[in-house]
């Protein structure tokens, strides 16, 4: 033992221990930064560790399939149950989110139009043979919806309630050839009647008829409802895409692109009440009234 | 002469390789984990080398094993190198002067080395700072790690001794 303490080997080992102490002191001074020696060693060890970790992970996951099959099966059943619950919650979430968005839109609109009473509704069916994108909504007379109530989205007017059942209603759109909505241009104040044509409906368009011959209406002008007993005033209908002379040459016609996505709309508002609502078509339905009034 | 020298080089290269492989295996995430405890495989290997070789070789490999552990350990770089070097030199001296070189002795030395190293690490990192509940770490981590690592002492010892005998036999020839 005493020979060892006097030997060169002991001195070498003592030197190694001194180096270790030096490493520790260096570590303290560098504040956690790895020493040069440590960094050098890690150059060798880290790639090997990384490779072996990959191998071990692959091997473990491979063996897991056999060793933990029953556990995995149980977990799978639990996860499937949780997934189904999550789906249910997701459906509820979507529904609530959707309602929330609708209510926000209603609030936004109510701030502008305090006189309007809305009922939210979802499109539950579309007329498969219909050329004018008519649809059925999930609200009926039990919800306060009446015949001739205007139907719209936050983007603009869609149409009106053509037929009411207890829990559903059929909606006729502004692309329909039988509809007539009193309208005016926000830019020129010229009044006319919005109605559909078969050709334009195929392209998702409609038109404003009976504009004055000297009208300065132009592409891009916004068309609004002129108000009356059927539609509240100043609901956006669409924007002018083209202006042309009417078939008899005595008036102008503007081709209109509805701001509401009439053909693909999924949720709508039914205006169940507004100031001045008559609920009945005025006499001479289908013809423009002198004040830009509307008819179904 | 050349055969002896190359056998010696081969032997020490194998020791170093074993330590390196043990270090890599010990640091693979999830490998050998039992109840959230991982063994330190390099220390049993270094102690075994100290026993079958001598205190000097033990000190060198102890320093190597400690430094490898230091690279992934929580304490100052060099701490484990310092402690394990001393433990391995002590184990080599004990076997040279007082005790038999056997698997049982290796178990004892590995356990002592692990307890000393673990206790010092615990003391410097937690114990001396009086963290609340620090004792739980010692009971649930330090001691189980020492025991789990000790479980590898016998197979590692026989592996190292086998290498030592094979290359020493070559030396005798």
């Amino acid at each position: 033992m005493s020979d060892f303490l006097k030997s060169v080997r002991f001195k070498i080992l003592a030197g190694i221990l001194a180096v270790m102490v030096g490493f520790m002191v260096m570590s303290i001074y560098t504040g956690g930064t790895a020493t040069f020696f440590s960094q050098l060693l890690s150059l060798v060890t880290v790639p090997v560790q990384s490779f072996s970790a990959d191998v071990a992970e692959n091997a473990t996951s491979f063996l897991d399939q056999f060793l933990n099959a029953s556990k995995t099966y149980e977990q799978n059943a639990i996860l499937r149950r949780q997934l189904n619950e999550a789906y249910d919650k997701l459906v509820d979430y979507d529904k609530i989110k959707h309602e929330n968005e609708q209510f926000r839109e209603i609030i936004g609109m109510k701030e502008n139009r305090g006189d309007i009473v809305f009922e939210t509704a979802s499109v539950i069916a579309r007329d498969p043979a219909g050329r004018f994108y008519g649809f059925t909504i999930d609200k009926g007379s039990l919800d306060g919806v009446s015949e001739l109530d205007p139907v719209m989205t936050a983007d603009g007017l869609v149409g009106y309630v053509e037929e009411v059942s207890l829990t559903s209603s059929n909606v006729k759109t502004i692309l329909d050839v039988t509809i007539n909505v009193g309208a005016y241009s926000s830019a020129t104040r010229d009044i006319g009647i919005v109605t559909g044509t078969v050709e334009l409906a195929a392209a998702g368009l409609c038109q404003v008829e009976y504009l004055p011959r000297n009208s300065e209406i132009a592409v891009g002008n916004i068309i609004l409802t002129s108000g009356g007993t059927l539609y509240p005033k100043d609901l956006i209908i669409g924007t002018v895409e083209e202006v042309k002379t009417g078939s008899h040459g005595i008036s102008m016609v503007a081709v209109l692109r509805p701001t509401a996505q009439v053909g693909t709309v999924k949720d709508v508002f039914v205006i169940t009440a507004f100031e001045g609502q008559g609920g009945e078509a005025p006499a001479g339905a289908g013809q423009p009234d002198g004040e830009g009034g509307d008819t179904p | 002469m050349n055969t002896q020298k190359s056998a010696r080089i081969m032997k020490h290269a194998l020791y170093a390789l074993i330590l390196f492989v043990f270090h890599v295996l010990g640091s693979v995430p999830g490998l050998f984990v039992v109840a959230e405890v991982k063994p330190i495989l390099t220390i049993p290997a270094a102690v075994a080398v100290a026993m079958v070789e001598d205190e000097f070789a033990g000190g060198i490999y102890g320093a190597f094993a400690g430094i490898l552990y230091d690279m992934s350990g929580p304490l100052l770089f060099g701490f484990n190198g310092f402690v394990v070097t001393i433990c391995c030199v002590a184990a080599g001296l004990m076997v040279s002067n007082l005790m038999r070189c056997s698997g049982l002795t290796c178990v004892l030395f590995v356990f002592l080395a692990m307890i000393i190293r673990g206790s010092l690490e615990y003391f410097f990192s937690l114990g001396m700072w009086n963290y609340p509940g620090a004792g739980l770490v010692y009971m649930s981590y330090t001691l189980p790690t020492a025991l789990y690592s000790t479980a590898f002492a016998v197979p590692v010892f026989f592996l190292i001794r086998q290498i030592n005998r094979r290359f020493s036999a070559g030396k005798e020839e």
Side-chain angles (χ1 to χ4, degrees):
Chain A
M1 182 77 166
S2 59
D3 292 342
F4 171 69
L5 294 176
K6 290 174 187 170
S7 68
V8 178
R9 291 179 157 201
F10 174 75
K11 286 167 188 165
I12 293 171
L13 287 174
I16 289 172
L17 288 175
V19 169
M20 299 295 169
V21 174
F23 281 152
M24 283 191 266
V25 173
M26 264 178 74
S27 295
I28 291 167
Y29 275 100
T30 53
T33 309
T35 61
F36 174 73
F37 186 69
S38 167
Q39 289 177 24
L40 206 66
L41 258 181
S42 68
L43 280 179
V44 182
T45 55
V46 169
V48 182
Q49 280 173 328
S50 170
F51 173 73
S52 56
D54 286 346
V55 172
E57 193 182 333
N58 287 334
T60 309
S61 60
F62 177 74
L63 288 174
D64 249 15
Q65 297 171 37
F66 306 103
L67 296 175
N68 297 320
S70 61
K71 196 177 167 187
T72 307
Y73 180 79
E74 285 168 18
Q75 280 179 340
N76 191 30
I78 292 167
L79 288 172
R80 253 187 292 177
R81 198 167 55 240
Q82 287 175 343
L83 188 65
N84 287 334
E85 287 170 8
Y87 279 143
D88 290 342
K89 283 180 183 170
L90 194 63
V91 170
D92 289 343
Y93 167 78
D94 282 340
K95 210 183 277 181
I96 290 165
K97 185 184 167 198
H98 194 70
E99 281 178 0
N100 190 31
E101 283 168 3
Q102 285 182 316
F103 287 136
R104 276 174 189 278
E105 286 168 358
I106 289 172
I107 289 166
M109 288 168 65
K110 268 193 177 279
E111 280 174 2
N112 296 327
R113 300 296 300 262
D115 60 319
I116 293 178
V117 179
F118 294 100
E119 182 66 44
T120 60
S122 295
V123 175
I124 54 171
R126 278 192 177 275
D127 180 4
R131 288 180 175 184
F132 309 110
Y133 304 101
F135 53 83
T136 306
I137 56 173
D138 62 349
K139 295 288 166 68
S141 56
L142 290 179
D143 305 291
V145 175
S146 310
E147 200 178 345
L148 304 179
D149 280 349
V151 177
M152 62 177 298
T153 68
D155 297 324
L157 187 68
V158 173
Y160 73 96
V161 175
E162 184 185 29
E163 190 179 333
V164 183
S165 305
L166 283 175
T167 55
S168 67
S169 305
N170 292 336
V171 176
K172 182 178 278 188
T173 72
I174 52 174
L175 307 187
D176 199 298
V177 292
T178 61
I179 201 167
N180 291 295
V181 182
Y184 75 100
S185 162
S186 64
T188 63
R189 317 297 291 182
D190 293 326
I191 57 170
I193 298 292
V194 173
T195 188
T197 69
V198 175
E199 294 81 10
L200 289 175
L205 305 172
C206 53
Q207 64 182 19
V208 191
E209 292 177 336
Y210 307 114
L211 289 165
R213 189 179 161 80
N214 60 351
S215 172
E216 291 179 0
I217 194 164
V219 173
N221 285 175
I222 295 170
I223 304 298
L224 306 166
T225 55
S226 58
T229 55
L230 295 178
Y231 300 96
K233 198 176 180 205
D234 290 336
L235 295 182
I236 296 177
I237 302 174
T239 54
V240 175
E241 286 235 319
E242 187 188 345
V243 180
K244 55 189 180 185
T245 308
S247 55
H248 303 294
I250 55 170
S251 64
M252 302 288 284
V253 173
V255 175
L256 200 62
R257 179 169 293 281
T259 47
Q261 302 294 312
V262 177
T264 56
V265 69
K266 288 179 180 138
D267 301 284
V268 293
F269 306 128
V270 180
I271 298 175
T272 54
F274 63 92
E275 200 176 326
Q277 184 181 29
E280 285 183 12
Q287 298 298 319
D289 59 27
E291 296 171 353
D294 41 51
T295 69
Chain B
M1 186 69 177
N2 281 340
T3 315
Q4 283 177 16
K5 196 176 175 183
S6 57
R8 215 168 73 183
I9 291 168
M10 280 290 287
K11 182 175 68 177
H12 285 288
L14 265 177
Y15 289 156
L17 184 68
I18 285 171
L19 277 177
F20 186 75
V21 170
F22 279 4
H23 166 69
V24 170
L25 290 177
S27 57
V28 170
L31 194 65
F32 300 127
V33 174
V34 174
E36 296 183 6
V37 173
K38 283 188 86 168
I40 301 170
L41 298 173
T42 49
I43 293 176
V47 170
V49 170
M51 288 174 67
V52 300
E53 294 290 336
D54 56 25
E55 63 279 356
F56 180 71
I60 301 289
Y61 286 101
F64 185 44
I67 277 184
L68 284 175
Y69 185 67
D70 272 327
M71 289 178 64
S72 51
L75 276 183
L76 290 174
F77 185 79
F79 169 79
N80 282 288
F82 186 83
V83 175
V84 179
T85 302
I86 292 174
C87 289
C88 287
V89 170
L93 284 171
M94 293 288 273
V95 169
S96 302
N97 299 294
L98 294 169
M99 300 176 82
R100 288 178 58 215
C101 180
S102 68
L104 195 63
T105 316
C106 184
V107 168
L108 178 69
F109 285 142
V110 168
F111 183 68
L112 284 173
M114 288 301 301
I115 284 290
I116 291 166
R117 189 212 68 81
S119 300
L120 286 171
E121 184 183 83
Y122 165 78
F123 177 73
F124 286 119
S125 59
L126 294 171
M128 68 186 286
W129 309 106
N130 282 327
Y131 288 115
L136 198 66
V137 174
Y138 191 82
M139 298 306 290
S140 63
Y141 177 73
T142 307
L143 275 182
T145 302
L147 288 169
Y148 191 16
S149 303
T150 306
F152 286 87
V154 174
V156 169
F157 172 75
F158 284 110
L159 174 70
I160 297 290
R161 192 170 74 172
Q162 193 61 33
I163 292 168
N164 175 266
R165 282 182 177 171
R166 173 151 305 184
F167 286 98
S168 297
K171 187 177 156 184
E172 283 163 14
E173 283 164 16

